[in-house]
């Protein structure tokens, strides 16, 4: 069974950079694609971006200037960096595995999420 | 951008009820539509992918249907463990994929 676990700071100061890591167990990170999704308090889910086994990345257009997703295959981990954090970035951050079946895609495994609060 | 609108935003129901949640897309997305269940403090879980395909291990009381711009998730007989928030997600646009705003299913 594939398991994903987010790790990183729970508190970030305004204007600083958030760094989160997702550790994948029970499967290789060298296949499928890997994504970050967040949920601000009281709101719905927002896709942040994805990285593919080719190393290509796609980001939400509303965040693309501030976000970087990378992968470390030696550690079976992938990471999120989001700079210039503001209070609007406070959210539960989830990592997820993306599966493609032909042209159909789905996030089939998710981490439990990590709460990030932006505050001085 | 493709917008996804779910209705209702919340509902109250009893164990054994049949309930239907609707998701509408702002443009034709064929059958590029997934449904997820999310309980507080837990990882979201995929129920249905490609509009009507049941994810492995998901009970058959969850039924997805629709194509184009209108989709439904039906729970044929609500069970206690089904009280949660449900999200639709379109994967027609590349990159993926806008989520609906969610439908919270509460106990009546």
């Amino acid at each position: 069974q594939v398991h994903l676990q987010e790790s990183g700071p729970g508190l970030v100061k305004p204007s600083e950079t958030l760094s989160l890591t997702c550790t994948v167990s029970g499967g290789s990170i060298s296949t499928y694609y890997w994504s970050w999704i967040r949920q601000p308090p009281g709101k719905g889910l927002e896709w942040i971006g994805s990285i593919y086994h080719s190393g290509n990345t796609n980001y939400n257009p509303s965040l693309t200037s501030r976000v970087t997703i990378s992968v470390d295959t030696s550690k079976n981990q992938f990471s999120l960096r989001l700079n210039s954090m503001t209070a609007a970035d406070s959210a539960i951050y989830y990592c997820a595995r993306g599966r493609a079946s032909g042209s159909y895609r789905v996030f089939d495994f998710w981490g439990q999420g990590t709460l990030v609060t932006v505050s001085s | 951008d493709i917008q996804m609108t779910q209705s209702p935003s919340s509902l109250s129901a009893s164990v054994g009820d049949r309930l239907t949640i609707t998701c509408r897309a702002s443009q034709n997305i064929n059958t590029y539509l997934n449904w997820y269940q999310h309980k507080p403090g837990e990882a979201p879980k995929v129920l249905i992918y490609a509009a009507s395909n049941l994810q492995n291990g998901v009970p058959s009381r969850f039924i997805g249907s629709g194509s184009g711009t209108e989709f439904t998730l039906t729970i044929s007989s609500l069970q206690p463990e089904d009280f949660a928030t449900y999200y639709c997600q379109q994967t027609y646009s590349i990159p993926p994929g806008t989520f609906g705003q969610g439908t919270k299913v509460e106990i009546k």
Side-chain angles (χ1 to χ4, degrees):
Chain A
Q1 180 79 336
V2 175
H3 181 75
L4 289 80
Q5 180 67 57
E6 305 89 350
S7 59
L11 182 64
V12 177
K13 290 183 168 56
S15 80
E16 291 190 343
T17 296
L18 170 68
S19 293
L20 295 177
T21 296
C22 182
T23 301
V24 179
S25 56
S28 172
I29 203 168
S30 298
T31 54
Y32 301 97
Y33 66 97
W34 305 92
S35 302
W36 289 96
I37 297 137
R38 69 182 182 179
Q39 183 177 31
K43 297 187 178 181
L45 298 167
E46 178 185 35
W47 171 76
I48 298 171
S50 299
I51 187 164
Y52 301 82
H53 55 80
S54 63
N56 289 342
T57 53
N58 288 119
Y59 301 129
N60 188 317
S62 68
L63 297 169
T64 190
S65 63
R66 299 195 291 131
V67 66
T68 302
I69 296 176
S70 58
V71 65
D72 186 336
T73 54
S74 67
K75 295 181 179 179
N76 236 36
Q77 294 176 333
F78 64 105
S79 298
L80 168 72
R81 285 177 59 87
L82 185 63
N83 59 35
S84 305
M85 294 281 283
T86 71
D89 295 311
S90 294
I92 299 174
Y93 284 74
Y94 298 94
C95 59
R97 186 182 86 168
R99 183 189 80 214
S101 177
S103 57
Y104 290 94
R105 290 159 290 148
V106 66
F107 296 130
D108 60 352
F109 288 99
W110 297 59
Q112 287 200 310
T114 186
L115 176 64
V116 175
T117 302
V118 182
S119 175
S120 55
Chain B
D1 290 2
I2 299 175
Q3 307 299 319
M4 307 301 294
T5 304
Q6 288 181 234
S7 60
S9 55
S10 65
L11 64 89
S12 296
S14 301
V15 172
D17 283 354
R18 179 184 181 92
L19 67 85
T20 297
I21 299 168
T22 299
C23 179
R24 290 186 172 87
S26 59
Q27 67 182 70
N28 185 348
I29 59 168
N30 199 328
T31 54
Y32 291 90
L33 192 285
N34 304 324
W35 289 98
Y36 299 87
Q37 177 192 66
H38 191 200
K39 299 178 182 178
E42 297 186 10
K45 171 185 171 183
V46 59
L47 302 173
I48 302 286
Y49 64 95
S52 60
N53 293 272
L54 194 66
Q55 174 72 0
N56 286 346
V58 174
S60 58
R61 64 180 180 272
F62 292 95
I63 303 162
S65 65
S67 66
T69 61
E70 187 157 331
F71 303 84
T72 59
L73 173 68
T74 298
I75 307 175
S76 60
S77 178
L78 198 65
Q79 298 302 300
E81 60 269 29
D82 299 338
F83 293 96
T85 300
Y86 294 85
Y87 293 93
C88 61
Q89 179 210 14
Q90 65 84 15
T91 61
Y92 179 84
S93 66
I94 297 174
T98 326
F99 292 89
Q101 80 278 17
T103 295
K104 187 173 184 179
V105 176
E106 298 175 302
I107 301 172
K108 184 182 286 184

